[in-house]
Amino acid sequence: MIFAEFCQLCSALASTRSRLAKTAAVAELLRRLTAEEIPWAVAFLTGRPFPASDPRGLEVSWATLSEIVEAVGAAPATSSLTLQDVARSFAGVAEASGGGSRRVKAERLRELFGRASSAEREVVTKILLGEMRIGLHDGLLQEAVARAADADPELVRRATLFLSDPSEVARIALAEGPSGLERVGIRLFVPLLPMLAELAQDFARVFEAHRGRTALEFKYDGARIQLHKAGEQVRIWSRRLSEVTGSLPELVEIARRDLRADSLI
């Protein structure tokens, strides 16, 4: 897909408050994408340079971006950038490491901005800074994926809970259909979205809703984590799904020593 078309969609989403209009526009876009483009489009729509399950980062500041835009000068009137061109540019920036990496990152971003129109530069900047602000929250995105794939929204929500990555859920939904979503289950080393509590006004309503099957337990202070183990491999995520394995070596050793089978805790 030509990146300019994607940018036009972003502008349209930002200019309307209609939930139905947003859902229909995103669904229509998803139907037109190839299987390779879908994960990137969803990532970009959610203000990410990479899909949620992709651990790569760009480490580019606002100050660096401002310097790059100023250095490349006026934007071209037209652009031939594609969605995949932008994805490849981000990958190139993320791959730069070690001595001189800052210079390499800047050079690769200058190449991207040099090819981009004014509207495309604006969208790329928002993606890089995680500031899309187009009113496309998780629920709307899930509805759009379900509509594009002609699938039950509950199947999309269920798959999202298991995979924690709307890009991968969208790819499965569009490439494999409802049956593909039905096959999604718990996967070791793919963190689950945390189950969030719902607010209640009083205990009477809670007991009524639970139909006499309410269970209560003490809540201890501390951090909530999610731990996955297979053999000697152990990985740990925080409640916000940031990987924290390296900062919790004691828990890693305990898991290796005391958890005898493959586990998800």
Side-chain angles (χ1 to χ4, degrees):
M1 167 173 280
I2 299 298
F3 191 59
E5 294 181 62
F6 177 82
C7 295
Q8 290 169 3
L9 170 69
C10 292
S11 177
L13 292 173
S15 64
T16 181
R17 294 184 178 181
S18 169
R19 182 188 186 100
L20 292 177
K22 289 179 186 289
T23 302
V26 174
E28 194 273 335
L29 172 85
L30 292 174
R31 291 192 196 101
R32 294 168 51 206
L33 299 175
T34 66
E36 292 75 21
E37 291 173 327
I38 290 169
W40 296 103
V42 172
F44 295 168
L45 285 171
T46 56
R48 295 174 177 270
F50 299 102
S53 58
D54 191 323
R56 290 177 293 180
L58 298 181
E59 300 178 357
V60 177
S61 67
W62 167 251
T64 299
L65 285 178
S66 298
E67 292 174 4
I68 290 170
V69 172
E70 184 176 350
V72 296
T78 60
S79 166
S80 60
L81 278 176
T82 66
L83 202 65
Q84 291 296 82
D85 287 336
V86 178
R88 282 190 287 268
S89 292
F90 289 167
V93 173
E95 289 166 2
S97 61
S101 61
R102 182 178 179 182
R103 175 184 56 79
V104 175
K105 288 176 185 287
E107 287 177 356
R108 291 176 178 172
L109 283 176
R110 275 196 294 271
E111 292 174 4
L112 174 60
F113 276 84
R115 295 179 58 191
S117 67
S118 295
E120 290 171 335
R121 288 182 180 184
E122 182 178 351
V123 171
V124 168
T125 299
K126 289 179 178 179
I127 294 170
L128 291 172
L129 298 177
E131 298 180 351
M132 283 300 284
R133 297 178 182 175
I134 54 178
L136 188 67
H137 58 71
D138 291 346
L140 274 182
L141 179 57
Q142 290 169 14
E143 289 179 20
V145 170
R147 180 167 177 168
D150 195 21
D152 186 337
E154 281 302 318
L155 276 179
V156 175
R157 283 190 280 271
R158 173 183 174 277
T160 303
L161 285 172
F162 284 135
L163 299 180
S164 307
D165 184 352
S167 290
E168 177 63 6
V169 172
R171 186 199 65 76
I172 292 172
L174 273 294
E176 304 176 28
S179 61
L181 293 172
E182 289 173 353
R183 289 192 294 270
V184 172
I186 293 174
R187 303 178 184 178
L188 276 175
F189 305 115
V190 176
L192 302 170
L193 282 179
M195 296 183 67
L196 303 179
E198 295 183 10
L199 295 176
Q201 299 301 318
D202 55 54
F203 276 110
R205 292 186 180 181
V206 173
F207 294 146
E208 181 182 356
H210 292 180
R211 300 178 181 178
R213 295 177 295 174
T214 302
L216 303 177
E217 61 183 22
F218 288 104
K219 181 180 183 300
Y220 297 97
D221 287 338
R224 181 186 299 179
I225 64 164
Q226 187 176 154
L227 184 149
H228 295 223
K229 175 182 180 292
E232 288 297 302
Q233 185 178 6
V234 176
R235 294 176 67 185
I236 304 172
W237 288 269
S238 70
R239 184 170 180 265
R240 296 185 180 277
L241 303 187
S242 298
E243 185 163 358
V244 293
T245 309
S247 61
L248 298 171
E250 298 89 349
L251 281 182
V252 172
E253 288 306 312
I254 291 172
R256 286 174 176 163
R257 183 184 68 238
D258 297 338
L259 297 179
R260 302 301 181 187
D262 294 350
S263 306
L264 186 157
I265 302 175

